[in-house]
Amino acid sequence: MHKRNSLFYIVALACLFMISVGACRNGTPKTIVPGIVWYDTDGNPINAHGGGIMYHDGVYYWYGEYKGDSTYYRDDICVGWRAEAGGVSCYSSTDLVSWKFEGVVLPPDTQDAQSDLHPSQIIERPKVIYNDKTKKFVMWVHIDSPNYEKAHTGVAVGDSPTGRFTYLGSFKPNGGDSRDQTVFKDDDGRAYHIHSSEWNKTLYIGLLNDDYTQHTGIYTRNFIEQYREAPAVFKHDGKYYLISSGCTGWDPNTAQCAVADSMLGEWKVIGNPCIGKDAEKTYYAQSTFVLPVGGKDGQIVAMFDRWNKTDLDDSRYVWLPLTFVDGKPVIEWKDQWNLEE
Ligand code: DGJ
């Protein structure tokens, strides 16, 4: 080989090496594709509906409803379609894109037909927060009878984020109904339970006790007679934001955002955070959680469920970036998008 040719090959190889190092440094794009079937690392569709994410020690834990694989219709319930309650599943990830199935961390009780956790009952919208004092992981979940008349909240605790969680039982917080729900842990360590009450007419927000397993009795009634459900809350720049849906069963409606200086209110409605095509139908989905990436007030992901009411376990996940424009949260449809490093 001529000297000039070998110099050319050396330079070309060096360039290739530099390009690949650069690509590694930037990392593989972490692409989220809203609405497609999302597979876990074992190749199975992720089954974690109405879910929420807890970020703990550098790992994201996604908890959700583990829905049975056959949907049936009951004409004695107003929402009609339902699937067996399969307990609460957990998936873990360090990048929010690739998820490992950690199992059903609050399993159904298939033996006792009277149990809250029997597959015939309703187990929906689980959320988990970590208690720094007790070192326990605390799960709050909507527990209901098949006709949604019981309207309880259930509490379970675990020593590890991947369970197994011990079920403590269910009750009506502050004597009121509890259907769609979430929990929020503030920077000062206080935690709140946010739940649709009074037959979904009014949203209650209650302060939890120090170990996060009970209510303190301090609570407020919000959005009175406004029928809000699917609450998802987050904090940005010292203010609290609450995204919710209207009440139309499994069918989509218009989302609404409200802002407050305190989690207990008073909440001021600031409109639909969704913009663009299908924004009035929340992109055919319903809010479930808002995640500050890395537990910091920076990049924010808004999580929604696109329910498939006639095949509920095939309901899809719609995750979109939430940004602030003129001081207000804005969510816009993306066919696909990349998480920042
Ligand atoms: C709407 C709620 O947001 C869901 O969690 C579920 O309970 C459906 N209603 C049932 O129709």
Side-chain angles (χ1 to χ4, degrees), residues 285-303:
Q286 187 185 28
S287 45
T288 185
F289 199 75
V290 176
L291 175 74
V293 176
K296 287 183 271 180
D297 188 6
Q299 196 181 12
I300 301 171
V301 180
M303 295 166 51

Side-chain angles (χ1 to χ4, degrees), residues 222-236:
N222 305 273
F223 310 101
I224 294 167
E225 309 229 335
Q226 289 176 38
Y227 288 92
R228 304 310 303 171
E229 57 178 11
V233 296
F234 67 105
K235 192 175 184 179
H236 172 72

Side-chain angles (χ1 to χ4, degrees), residues 28-33 38-41 46 53 60 62 92-100 319 337-339:
T28 334
K30 305 198 179 314
T31 307
I32 290 186
V33 187
W38 198 338
Y39 293 96
D40 67 14
T41 52
I46 294 176
I53 290 181
Y60 298 96
W62 176 0
S92 65
S93 172
T94 51
D95 62 8
L96 288 172
V97 172
S98 150
W99 291 93
K100 174 176 179 273
W319 291 14
W337 59 286
N338 292 340
L339 280 152

